[in-house]
Amino acid sequence: MRGAKSAKWVTGAIIVALAATACGGGKDDNAGGAGAVDPNGIFTTDLGEPEKLLYTGDTMESNGAGVMKAVYSNLVGYKADGSLEMLNAESLTTTDSKKWTVKLKAGWTFHDGTPVTSKSYVDAWNWNASLKNAMGLSSWFSDIVGYDKVHPDAEGAKQTAETLAGLKVVDDTTFTIELTQPVPYFGHKLAYTPFAPLAASFYANPKAAAEKPVGNGPYKFKSWDHKKQIEIVRFDAYKGPNKAKNGGVIFKNYTTLETAYEDLKSGNLDVIRQIGPKDLPVYHDDLGDRAVDADHAAIQSIGVAFYAEQWKKPKKVDVRVIQGLSMAIDRATITKTVLQGTREPATGWVPKGILGYQENAAGDVTKYDPAKAKDLIKAGGGVPGNKIFIQFNADGGHKEWVDAVCNSITQATSVACVGDSKTDFQADLTARKEKQVKSLYRSAWSLDYPVNSNFIKDLFHTNAAGNQGDFSVKELDAKIEAADSAASLEQSVKQYQAVEKELVKYMPSIPLWYYKVNAGYSEKVSGVTYGQDGDPILDTVEVKK
Amino acid sequence: MGRYVARRLLQMIPVFLGTTLLIFLMVHSLPGDPVLAMFGDKGADPATIAAKRHELGLDKPEWQQYLLYMRDMLLHADFGTQIRNGLPVTEVLGDAFPITLQLAALAFAIELIFGIGLGIIGGLRAGRMADNMILVFTLLIISIPVFVLGFIIKMVFAFNLGWIKPNVSPVPAWDELIAPAIVLGGLSLAYVARLTRTSMAENLRADYMRTAVAKGLPRRRVIGVHLMRNSMIPVITFLGTDIGALMGGAIVTESIFNIKGVGGVIAESISRREGATLVGLVTILVIVYLVTSLLIDLLYAVLDPRIRYA
C-alpha cells in the first residue's frame, strides 16, 4: 500500500499549507440607503503604497503626500485660485519679505494631546533641515538664514550648526523667520509638508514616528498595513477651518488603475484619484455625473539638453529652431486622440490654478503651424544632422505620445525624430543626471506651491535643481532674481509673468500640455472635489447613510 | 538513501550562494541609481544624496556590500532593509508570502484534482469522445494567455453575473481566491491533464498491465495501483517544479486581481532597484525549488521501487 501512503502525504502537505495560511479576511459590508449624510461615515479611496516612511521632510511623492496632507495641518493652506488661507497660523506678516513673523492660533493640539507651540515648528524645521537626517526636502529651508551651516550642499561637507540661526521662538504662539534674501512667496512655501510641526514624541524615535505619524491635522493616523491599506480617522479636537465632514478615510492599495476603477464601479471603492487609460473612453458613460474632469496644475514639456553636441557644435543652436519644432507639434490633435482628452494643450509654461497664470503666455509658439515651423527651422540654420531624439522612460506610458509628437514634427518639417526610450524612470533620471541626453527629453513638473515662480525659477534659473538641460541665460537669471526680491507677492507675481512672456525668446523647453484630473466617485459619497495637485480633497467629502 | 539526501542538501549550498550572487550582481548592473530615484524629477543636493548613500551602505564597493549582506542573512537571518521605506525585508516578505502561499496552495489543489481527474478520464478512454473533448478543452486553456483568461473570468463572474467581487481584499478570504487560483492553475491544469492522459494511455498497453489483468486482479486495483503509480512519475515531476513557479510567478495574475503577493513585490523591487528585497525573495524561492525538487526525487522511489538512490 505504498501508493496509498504517498497519497496521504500529498493531502497532508496541502492541509498543513492551508492551515498555515488560513488567516481569513474580514469583509466590509456597506449597507445603507441613499440621502441623509452620516457625519461619522468612513469612505475609501485608492492610493499606492507610500514609497518611504512618512517623514514630513522626506515625503515628496504623491502617495505619501496624500496621507500627510490629511494628518498634518500647516501654518497655511491655499485656495483654488492659489491664494493663501490661514490654517494653524493666526497671522503671517512681513514688511520686507525677508523677516517674517508667525502668530499661531492658540489652543491647538497634536493628536496625542500635547499643545502645538512655536517650538513644535522651529524644532521640526531644524530637524528636517539638518544634513544628519538626510531628508529629501531639506533644501526647502535654504531660504532661511543659517541653512548653509546646518546643511552644506557639497559632497562630503560636514554641518557646523545644529539649528537654523534664522528661526527664533518669541513665545509659545509667536516665532520669527529670517531669510537670507527677500522671498515674496515664502508664505506659499509654508503650505508644503516639510514645514509641518512635529510633536515632541517624534524625536525620541523618528523611525517609529514615521511609521505612525502624530500630526495636528484634521485626521488622526490610525493604522498602516503595508502595501494593503492606511486608515485615518477624524480628529475631533481639530480647530482648523477644514474640519472633516466624514468619520475617516481608508486608503486602499491597488496595483493598477484599472483594478481600482473596477472596484469603484462595483461599489467597493468610493473615491478614485485617476482613471486608467483603458477606461478613459467609457468612464463618463459608466459614472454619469459622478465622473470628474478637473484642472491639475502640472505640465508636461520637452526639455532641451543644451549641453548636447547637437545644440552646441559648431555654434549654439538658434532659438528659432526650437520655436519651429514647437510649432510643428499638433497639440490639439494629440491630446484629443492619443491622450484621449486627459491633457489640455499648453499655451505657456505656467499651468492653471497657479497664482500668476496667464492665458496664451507663449504666444504663437504653441500653435500648430507646419509652414511657419519649416520657415523658422530654416531661418535658424536647420536642425543639426536633421534628426532629433526625445528621451523618455518606457515604464511611464509615454511612448504613445512621444511617437505622436515625433510623427507630427517629421510630417510638418521633415526633420527625422525618434523616441529614445530608457527602460524605466531610474535609467531615464540617471541619463539626465549624467548629461547623456542626446537632444531632447521628456520633462514634467507639478506644483510645489501655487505661485508662478515655482514653474519658472525652479526650472529655468541657472542654479535650479530642476534645470537638467543646462539652460543658462544671464539676463533671465537677473530678471528672476529681481522678481524674487520684489517688495510684495503681487509685485513678484507680476514680474514673473513678464519673465514667462520672455521665455519665448529663449525656449528653455517646449511646453506640451497641462495635466487634467480624470476621476470619479461612488454613489455613497458626495462633495468630492480635487485640488491643484490632482488629489481629492478629503475633508469635504460627505458619506451618505 | 540517507547519504543521498545529505549529498543533495550539501549541493544546495553552492546553488544557494551562486544564485544570490548572480541576482545581486544583476540588480547592481541595471542602469539607474536607487538613491537618485528617491528624489525623482526634482533632485536633491549632493550632500543629501551622499548622506543617504552612506546611511544605506551603498557607498561601499559591491563585493563588500554582498559579503555584508550574506553575513547578515546567514548569521542573523537579517535580509536587510528596503532602500526607500527603511522597512526590514523580512517584514515585507512576511507580508507577501502568506498570501501567495495561500493562492498557490489553492491553485495547486485545483490543478491536482482537476488535472489528474481529467487526465484519468482521458487516459482510460483514449481516442473516444470524452478523451477528445478533454483534448480540445486543454488546448483551449493552453492557448489563452493568462491575462485574457483573467479578464474573461472577471467580466463574466464579477460584472455580468455579480457572483464574485472583481478584486481580492487586502487580506484575502479563501473564497475570494478561487477565481485567481483558477486563472493561475489553469495552464498547469491543462499540462497535468495531458501528461496524465498520455502516460496512462501508454502504460495501459504495458506488459505488467496485461499480467495484472491476467492474474485476475479487480479492475479498481489494476488501475488504482498498477497503472496509476507508474503513470504518475512524469506528472509528479511537473507538479514539483510547478510549486516553485506558482510561488514565484503569478505577477500577471496577482496584478489582475490586485493581490498583494510575491509577484507584485518582485515587479516593484526590480523597478525600484531594491537589490536587498530581490535577493531575499529569490533566496527563498530558490530554497522552495530545491526542497520541492528533493521531495519529488524521493517520491520517485515510493512510486517506482526500481528507482534506487546512490
Side-chain angles (χ1 to χ4, degrees):
Chain A
M1 290 299 284
R2 292 178 80 171
K5 232 187 256 165
S6 73
K8 241 184 248 162
W9 268 31
V10 175
T11 41
I14 292 176
I15 288 165
V16 170
L18 295 189
T21 57
C23 29
K27 276 191 260 172
D28 45 324
D29 287 70
N30 301 318
V37 169
D38 174 10
N40 295 319
I42 287 179
F43 69 98
T44 53
T45 175
D46 71 310
L47 189 85
E49 166 82 357
E51 287 185 352
K52 308 177 192 170
L53 291 182
L54 297 170
Y55 290 101
T56 54
D58 210 17
T59 304
M60 55 194 92
E61 43 80 40
S62 60
N63 292 325
V67 180
M68 294 303 254
K69 274 184 298 187
V71 173
Y72 287 94
S73 209
N74 280 31
L75 293 168
V76 293
Y78 33 72
K79 299 180 193 144
D81 63 348
S83 62
L84 274 189
E85 176 187 26
M86 295 295 140
L87 293 179
N88 199 172
E90 174 79 51
S91 66
L92 180 67
T93 48
T94 179
T95 48
D96 55 359
S97 299
K98 204 170 162 188
K99 189 151 184 195
W100 296 69
T101 307
V102 181
K103 278 215 174 359
L104 297 180
K105 286 178 186 158
W108 278 48
T109 57
F110 284 104
H111 299 152
D112 61 2
T114 54
V116 180
T117 63
S118 356
K119 197 170 173 315
S120 320
Y121 280 93
V122 172
D123 287 353
W125 297 5
N126 280 327
W127 198 89
N128 281 343
S130 171
L131 174 58
K132 212 171 41 199
N133 301 317
M135 293 283 107
L137 295 171
S138 53
S139 60
W140 279 77
F141 300 94
S142 60
D143 297 323
I144 301 173
V145 169
Y147 178 77
D148 49 343
K149 296 238 169 58
V150 174
H151 194 123
D153 276 353
E155 202 175 329
K158 292 260 176 307
Q159 74 185 88
T160 51
E162 287 297 308
T163 54
L164 293 161
L167 296 179
K168 295 236 161 51
V169 176
V170 177
D171 58 45
D172 266 1
T173 55
T174 319
F175 67 101
T176 58
I177 310 160
E178 198 187 340
L179 308 181
T180 49
Q181 60 197 30
V183 181
Y185 43 84
F186 187 69
H188 278 81
K189 289 192 174 187
L190 292 178
Y192 196 34
T193 321
F195 292 100
L198 290 169
S201 59
F202 173 86
Y203 308 99
N205 187 349
K207 201 178 162 206
E211 259 302 313
K212 197 172 187 219
V214 173
N216 63 333
Y219 292 95
K220 219 173 4 182
F221 197 87
K222 190 174 165 202
S223 63
W224 184 357
D225 195 355
H226 284 280
K227 304 221 159 111
K228 296 187 184 108
Q229 65 176 42
I230 291 176
E231 193 172 352
I232 57 175
V233 291
R234 183 180 57 214
F235 176 49
D236 285 317
Y238 184 66
K239 299 216 163 48
N242 52 340
K243 204 167 164 59
K245 290 183 178 162
N246 48 63
V249 189
I250 295 173
F251 298 95
K252 281 170 122 181
N253 198 320
Y254 286 91
T255 35
T256 61
L257 295 173
E258 284 76 21
T259 49
Y261 183 67
E262 286 164 0
D263 265 14
L264 179 77
K265 271 199 301 187
S266 50
N268 296 318
L269 182 71
D270 297 321
V271 177
I272 195 171
R273 295 189 303 165
Q274 186 67 35
I275 308 270
K278 181 171 90 65
D279 302 304
L280 281 172
V282 296
Y283 84 102
H284 271 285
D285 289 338
D286 283 350
L287 300 177
D289 52 6
R290 290 180 286 116
V292 173
D293 261 312
D295 288 330
H296 175 186
I299 186 171
Q300 180 92 256
S301 48
I302 297 179
V304 184
F306 287 97
Y307 54 77
E309 280 196 10
Q310 181 169 23
W311 307 127
K312 232 169 49 185
K313 284 177 185 170
K315 63 175 184 70
K316 202 170 165 279
V317 62
D318 190 297
V319 71
R320 282 172 292 185
V321 173
I322 302 170
Q323 286 172 339
L325 290 176
S326 175
M327 292 188 82
I329 301 168
D330 187 357
R331 294 170 179 76
T333 308
I334 296 173
T335 48
K336 212 180 290 160
T337 56
V338 181
L339 294 165
Q340 295 172 324
T342 57
R343 304 279 190 274
E344 190 183 334
T347 57
W349 283 268
V350 175
K352 287 180 189 169
I354 299 293
L355 206 59
Y357 163 76
Q358 40 190 358
E359 228 162 291
N360 221 359
D364 285 344
V365 220
T366 55
K367 298 213 170 65
Y368 177 57
D369 188 340
K372 207 163 168 213
K374 227 187 254 173
D375 292 346
L376 276 168
I377 292 179
K378 208 169 157 200
V383 172
N386 210 36
K387 185 173 188 181
I388 52 170
F389 297 89
I390 303 178
Q391 177 177 309
F392 66 98
N393 50 316
D395 64 345
H398 301 298
K399 189 181 186 316
E400 289 75 16
W401 70 254
V402 170
D403 285 348
V405 165
C406 267
N407 276 337
S408 183
I409 290 178
T410 309
Q411 270 175 20
T413 65
S414 66
V415 170
C417 174
V418 190
D420 180 13
S421 143
K422 299 283 170 212
T423 44
D424 54 20
F425 189 44
Q426 297 219 11
D428 176 47
L429 277 178
T430 308
R432 287 197 232 164
K433 179 102 183 162
E434 288 171 359
K435 303 202 186 301
Q436 291 166 343
V437 178
K438 288 184 207 151
S439 52
L440 304 165
Y441 63 95
R442 171 201 79 85
S443 149
W445 193 263
S446 102
L447 81 160
D448 297 318
Y449 49 91
V451 184
N452 53 359
S453 65
N454 185 220
F455 285 82
I456 296 171
K457 184 193 179 191
D458 292 300
L459 281 169
F460 307 131
H461 189 279
T462 304
N463 302 324
N467 182 351
Q468 294 167 321
D470 273 6
F471 172 74
S472 176
V473 173
K474 282 229 173 64
E475 313 125 66
L476 208 63
D477 282 355
K479 279 183 185 148
I480 288 174
E481 279 151 27
D484 258 0
S485 48
S488 68
L489 179 63
E490 294 73 41
Q491 189 57 39
S492 165
V493 167
K494 248 194 207 126
Q495 278 176 265
Y496 268 116
Q497 284 181 325
V499 173
E500 189 191 2
K501 293 230 157 164
E502 237 177 88
L503 287 177
V504 183
K505 286 199 286 189
Y506 309 103
M507 296 299 287
S509 72
I510 302 172
L512 290 178
W513 32 73
Y514 306 129
Y515 281 70
K516 265 166 79 176
V517 181
N518 300 90
Y521 51 91
S522 77
E523 282 162 350
K524 221 183 88 188
V525 293
S526 61
V528 183
T529 49
Y530 291 76
Q532 285 106 323
D533 52 8
D535 282 345
I537 295 171
L538 302 174
D539 52 75
T540 58
V541 174
E542 291 185 309
V543 183
K544 291 176 190 157
K545 268 198 180 123
Chain B
M1 171 127 153
R3 276 187 57 187
Y4 175 78
V5 174
R7 213 175 63 215
R8 285 288 299 263
L9 288 175
L10 281 177
Q11 277 174 4
M12 286 185 188
I13 296 171
V15 175
F16 172 80
L17 290 176
T19 41
T20 47
L21 179 64
L22 266 180
I23 291 292
F24 197 86
L25 292 178
M26 273 148 96
V27 174
H28 279 257
S29 64
L30 285 173
D33 178 343
V35 178
L36 211 57
M38 286 174 85
F39 303 103
D41 256 332
K42 306 200 174 178
D45 56 281
T48 307
I49 288 176
K52 206 96 215 179
R53 224 183 276 280
H54 180 73
E55 183 191 312
L56 296 164
L58 292 173
D59 52 348
K60 298 194 180 73
E62 256 165 52
W63 62 271
Q64 234 179 50
Q65 286 181 39
Y66 177 72
L67 287 185
L68 284 176
Y69 181 77
M70 288 311 280
R71 187 197 66 192
D72 288 345
M73 182 154 88
L74 294 174
L75 298 183
H76 315 292
D78 173 8
F79 286 65
T81 51
Q82 290 209 298
I83 291 175
R84 289 204 186 208
N85 52 22
L87 287 181
V89 172
T90 36
E91 203 174 287
V92 175
L93 302 184
D95 275 349
F97 262 103
I99 295 177
T100 299
L101 200 63
Q102 208 176 341
L103 177 66
L106 205 56
F108 189 72
I110 289 172
E111 88 180 60
L112 196 73
I113 296 166
F114 291 98
I116 295 186
L118 288 177
I120 293 176
I121 298 172
L124 292 181
R125 284 156 216 231
R128 285 193 276 172
M129 183 68 172
D131 181 37
N132 284 330
M133 274 170 65
I134 289 170
L135 282 180
V136 170
F137 170 71
T138 50
L139 181 69
L140 203 67
I141 296 187
I142 290 174
S143 48
I144 298 179
V146 177
F147 59 90
V148 177
L149 188 63
F151 188 70
I152 292 174
I153 285 188
K154 263 192 172 183
M155 193 80 181
V156 174
F157 294 101
F159 298 131
N160 291 352
L161 296 173
W163 290 357
I164 55 170
K165 285 208 260 176
N167 292 305
V168 173
S169 330
V171 181
W174 282 103
D175 55 339
E176 287 178 302
L177 285 176
I178 293 175
I182 290 173
V183 175
L184 184 59
L187 186 64
S188 309
L189 182 152
Y191 285 124
V192 170
R194 290 197 151 201
L195 271 174
T196 314
R197 181 236 167 229
T198 311
S199 151
M200 284 186 75
E202 205 159 282
N203 285 338
L204 266 177
R205 274 174 266 139
D207 292 343
Y208 65 81
M209 284 300 292
R210 214 176 308 129
T211 314
V213 175
K215 272 199 293 190
L217 287 178
R219 184 176 157 80
R220 176 181 282 261
R221 192 163 167 78
V222 173
I223 293 170
V225 179
H226 291 251
L227 178 59
M228 282 295 283
R229 247 171 88 172
N230 279 292
S231 308
M232 277 302 110
I233 289 182
V235 181
I236 295 279
T237 313
F238 176 79
L239 286 172
T241 50
D242 206 42
I243 291 181
L246 287 178
M247 286 295 300
I251 295 186
V252 177
T253 314
E254 288 192 356
S255 85
I256 293 177
F257 289 96
N258 198 46
I259 300 172
K260 303 293 171 195
V262 172
V265 178
I266 293 183
E268 187 196 87
S269 311
I270 293 175
S271 74
R272 290 187 180 173
R273 307 287 186 275
E274 290 279 5
T277 317
L278 262 184
V279 179
L281 267 173
V282 173
T283 308
I284 293 178
L285 290 178
V286 166
I287 293 174
V288 170
Y289 266 105
L290 289 173
V291 170
T292 46
S293 76
L294 175 61
L295 285 179
I296 296 304
D297 284 355
L298 294 179
L299 261 182
Y300 286 164
V302 179
L303 291 173
D304 187 349
R306 286 171 300 180
I307 297 174
R308 288 273 168 267
Y309 299 108

